[in-house]
Amino acid sequence: WAAEDEETNPYKSKYEGREILIAALKRVKELLPQAKTDAAAVKGQASLASLFRFVGINMYYCEEVPDAERHFCKSIVMYLQLPNRSEHFTAIQDTFNQLGMVWCNRRTFGKGFGFLRRAQH
């Protein structure tokens, strides 16, 4: 996230990073149906949730907020469906924080604070 790009192409490194994240997302989606055990399927779902969160963060940094929000929502739904979600507490907390920031930046503070409160628990 910290890479500094030239003013003429301010998101160059972020777009390059996004391509890598989206390729990983597609690959995990392809492999997930082939999971041979429940544990492998859960690990794959957790990986998808993380990748959706990272793509969302990338989009947020590129000022593509509606798309970022969609990815954060996909991520949080997947995280909350995990049977071992307590193992992903910090990622869930971060995703709720990201959604809270999206809504607070839109000046919809009630909705934003709702997400931020969820992040506390």
Side-chain angles (χ1 to χ4, degrees):
W1 316 122
E4 293 291 327
D5 294 314
E6 296 178 20
E7 281 187 39
T8 57
N9 196 358
Y11 304 121
K12 181 180 186 249
S13 64
K14 277 109 180 132
Y15 291 145
E16 291 169 355
R18 186 184 307 172
E19 288 179 21
I20 295 167
L21 290 168
I22 289 175
L25 191 63
K26 287 179 183 176
R27 186 67 179 140
V28 172
K29 282 182 178 181
E30 289 171 7
L31 292 172
L32 195 55
Q34 301 169 27
K36 299 197 185 304
T37 64
D38 288 343
V42 168
K43 189 172 183 177
Q45 291 291 338
S47 295
L48 280 178
S50 292
L51 287 165
F52 277 121
R53 180 169 54 97
F54 289 132
V55 171
I57 293 168
N58 176 284
M59 290 178 162
Y60 189 82
Y61 277 110
C62 292
E63 300 181 34
E64 299 170 28
V65 178
D67 290 330
E69 179 190 5
R70 278 191 284 281
H71 281 80
F72 293 142
C73 288
K74 287 178 185 179
S75 174
I76 202 67
V77 166
M78 294 184 86
Y79 276 128
L80 294 177
Q81 291 175 344
L82 291 172
N84 62 342
R85 68 179 164 262
S86 62
E87 295 175 21
H88 305 279
F89 174 78
T90 56
I92 292 168
Q93 185 178 41
D94 179 58
T95 308
F96 277 126
N97 281 333
Q98 296 290 337
L99 284 164
M101 288 187 301
V102 164
W103 284 99
C104 286
N105 285 331
R106 290 176 175 161
R107 298 197 175 280
T108 308
F109 299 110
K111 193 166 189 172
F113 289 147
F115 284 115
L116 295 171
R117 275 192 288 280
R118 286 286 309 265
Q120 287 181 322
H121 302 288

